[in-house]
Amino acid sequence: MGDPRSFPAIGVNPFFLMACFAQIAGDFNRAETAPMSLQPLLDAPLAVQFHVATVVPAAILGALIFLRPKGTAIHRLLGKIWVMLMVSTSVSTFFIHELRMFYGFSPIHLLSAFTIYGCLQSIYFARRGDIRRHMRIMQSVYLGGIVIAGGFTFVPGRIMHEVAFGDGRAGFVALSAGALLFAFLFLTVLKQRRRAA
C-alpha cells in the first residue's frame, strides 16, 4: 500500500503527526537562538522606524476599540486617533522600498492606498450615520492593514523577523506566541464582523 508516511496516510495516522510535531519542536528548542533585539530596527531607515512607531500603537488601539462599547465619546476619540495612526503608517510605506517588484513598489503599497481610502470612506459613512458600513470598512482595514500585512512582516528576511527572532531560528515558544497573537487579532475582528452582521 506504500509508505505509511505518505500524504494520504498522514490524515489517518495521528501518531505520525504527533511525532513530526515533537521532532519540529525539539529542533526549534535545541537551536541556538539569538535573543530578541531592537538593533535591526534601530539600524533601519527612518521611514521604517516611523512606520513601526505608528503601526504598533495602531494594532493595540484597534484591538482595544473592537473590544470596547461602540458609539460612545471615548470610542469616537480613540477612533480618530486610530485613523490618524493608520493613515500615518500607510503614508510612511511609500518611503519604504524593501520589496522592489514594480519600479520600487510592491503589493504593500497598493494595500496602503486601500487603507487610506478605507479610512476616509469609513469616516464618511460614520458621519452620514451609516454605522453598519462604517464598521465593516474599519474591520476590513484592521484585518488587511494590521493583521494580514503585519503577519507578512515576520517572514524571514524582513526587519521585524530579525527583531523578533534574532538570527532567524525562532524558538518554539516565540513562534507559538506570535501565532497565538495573530490568531487573537484575527478572531477579534471575526467576532466583531459576526456581531455586526
Side-chain angles (χ1 to χ4, degrees), residues 5 19 21 31-32 40-41 77 92-93 95 97 101 106 153 169:
R5 292 179 292 176
F21 182 74
E32 290 187 26
L41 185 58
L77 174 66
S92 73
T93 65
F95 299 96
H97 301 284
M101 298 178 131
S106 71
T153 64
R169 302 266 336 235

Side-chain angles (χ1 to χ4, degrees), residues 11 28 31 33 43 46 62 82-83 88 90 112 114 128 140 145 154 156 166 168:
F28 275 124
T33 58
D43 294 339
L46 184 60
W82 186 77
V83 166
S88 298
S90 295
S112 295
F114 282 124
R128 280 189 47 201
S140 297
F154 289 97

Side-chain angles (χ1 to χ4, degrees), residues 47-59:
V48 173
Q49 294 176 8
F50 179 81
H51 179 73
V52 172
T54 55
V55 78
V56 169

Side-chain angles (χ1 to χ4, degrees), residues 64-78:
L64 179 68
I65 291 170
F66 282 133
L67 297 173
R68 291 187 47 80
K70 310 299 179 269
T72 64
I74 192 75
H75 171 79
R76 288 188 291 277
L77 174 66
L78 294 177

Side-chain angles (χ1 to χ4, degrees), residues 22-193:
Q23 179 65 39
I24 292 168
D27 289 346
F28 275 124
N29 287 331
R30 282 190 296 276
E32 290 187 26
T33 58
M36 181 175 166
S37 170
L38 292 177
Q39 196 58 47
L41 185 58
L42 297 174
D43 294 339
L46 184 60
V48 173
Q49 294 176 8
F50 179 81
H51 179 73
V52 172
T54 55
V55 78
V56 169
I60 295 167
L61 186 59
L64 179 68
I65 291 170
F66 282 133
L67 297 173
R68 291 187 47 80
K70 310 299 179 269
T72 64
I74 192 75
H75 171 79
R76 288 188 291 277
L77 174 66
L78 294 177
K80 289 174 185 176
I81 294 168
W82 186 77
V83 166
M84 288 189 310
L85 287 169
M86 288 302 292
V87 169
S88 298
T89 201
S90 295
V91 168
S92 73
T93 65
F94 293 106
F95 299 96
I96 301 171
H97 301 284
E98 280 183 1
L99 304 173
R100 297 176 186 269
M101 298 178 131
F102 186 74
Y103 295 103
F105 294 99
S106 71
I108 293 295
H109 297 102
L110 188 60
L111 180 61
S112 295
F114 282 124
T115 298
I116 293 168
Y117 178 75
C119 287
L120 295 175
Q121 281 292 101
S122 183
I123 292 168
Y124 172 77
F125 286 120
R127 288 189 175 169
R128 280 189 47 201
D130 192 347
I131 301 305
R132 187 178 195 89
R133 280 179 113 175
H134 164 77
M135 287 176 62
R136 298 293 281 189
I137 292 170
M138 283 288 107
Q139 291 163 354
S140 297
V141 167
Y142 188 84
L143 185 62
I146 297 289
V147 179
I148 294 172
F152 281 115
T153 64
F154 289 97
V155 297
R158 304 292 306 272
I159 292 172
M160 291 311 294
H161 184 270
E162 291 178 40
V163 168
F165 304 124
D167 63 357
R169 302 266 336 235
F172 183 69
V173 174
L175 198 59
S176 298
L180 287 173
L181 178 62
F182 179 82
F184 170 75
L185 293 175
F186 184 79
L187 292 173
T188 299
V189 173
L190 191 64
K191 178 181 175 187
Q192 286 299 315
R193 279 183 172 264

